[in-house]
Amino acid sequence: MSRAKPVLMICLTVGWFATAGPFALAQSAPPPAQDGLLKSGPPTWDANRDGIFTCDEWKGFADRIFTLADRNRDGKLDKTEFATVQKADAALADADFGYFDENQDGKIARKEFVDKPSAFIVRFDRDGDCRVTGDEIRATTAPKGPQGPAERPRDRFH
């Protein structure tokens, strides 16, 4: 009987490490970094579904959203109508009224809304051609590796 207790304790300890150990390691590892503009996946406004997001596609999408939100059809959005914009697409959920209201008159005109650049295109369009490709997204979100030395090592004998 006295011999069974240590064996049981060893089995319990090994069992605990076998089950809890990997869980503890998984919990301590930081989650992979994710760009906030991609938290809902790629944008839904890729009109032709080719995986390339263009300024023209954004403007068409913004125009449709504006029309949907402008309930009284006066050509301007007030703050209550703007709530519809925020609910229309996950990419606009955190949109700020003041960002679009350029002249700060308390209303957003269609031109103010549609002509405002997409935060997505501003963030990912690396070559400035008003088109965001998958390569540009990958290049922007790729983890940055360790940087090399700040300067080239010098030869001690020269």
Side-chain angles (χ1 to χ4, degrees), residues 17-39:
F17 280 112
T19 57
F23 179 72
L25 289 174
Q27 294 292 36
S28 65
Q34 185 176 35
D35 194 289
L37 291 172
L38 295 172
K39 66 184 174 192

Side-chain angles (χ1 to χ4, degrees), residues 74-113:
D74 68 349
K76 296 181 180 185
L77 302 180
D78 60 26
K79 287 188 179 189
T80 59
E81 290 172 318
F82 189 72
T84 301
V85 168
Q86 294 171 310
K87 293 174 188 169
D89 190 83
L92 295 169
D94 297 325
D96 179 54
F97 185 89
Y99 171 76
F100 290 98
D101 185 14
E102 287 184 10
N103 63 6
Q104 302 298 303
D105 65 351
K107 302 265 185 185
I108 300 171
R110 182 180 298 273
K111 183 170 178 40
E112 286 176 307
F113 188 75

Side-chain angles (χ1 to χ4, degrees), residues 3-135:
R3 202 169 168 193
K5 255 186 177 172
V7 172
L8 177 62
M9 291 301 288
I10 291 172
C11 288
L12 287 174
T13 304
V14 169
W16 182 82
F17 280 112
T19 57
F23 179 72
L25 289 174
Q27 294 292 36
S28 65
Q34 185 176 35
D35 194 289
L37 291 172
L38 295 172
K39 66 184 174 192
S40 318
T44 59
W45 43 268
D46 179 14
N48 61 2
R49 306 287 183 240
D50 64 354
I52 298 172
F53 307 93
T54 68
C55 290
D56 288 339
E57 288 173 323
W58 166 253
K59 287 182 178 194
F61 172 75
D63 190 61
R64 290 187 301 278
I65 295 295
F66 187 94
T67 299
L68 173 73
D70 185 18
R71 284 180 246 151
N72 64 4
R73 305 290 179 239
D74 68 349
K76 296 181 180 185
L77 302 180
D78 60 26
K79 287 188 179 189
T80 59
E81 290 172 318
F82 189 72
T84 301
V85 168
Q86 294 171 310
K87 293 174 188 169
D89 190 83
L92 295 169
D94 297 325
D96 179 54
F97 185 89
Y99 171 76
F100 290 98
D101 185 14
E102 287 184 10
N103 63 6
Q104 302 298 303
D105 65 351
K107 302 265 185 185
I108 300 171
R110 182 180 298 273
K111 183 170 178 40
E112 286 176 307
F113 188 75
V114 173
D115 288 348
K116 189 62 86 169
S118 160
F120 179 85
I121 289 180
V122 169
R123 167 84 172 92
F124 295 106
D125 184 16
R126 296 175 63 92
D127 60 7
D129 65 354
C130 230
R131 300 175 65 231
V132 174
T133 65
D135 288 342

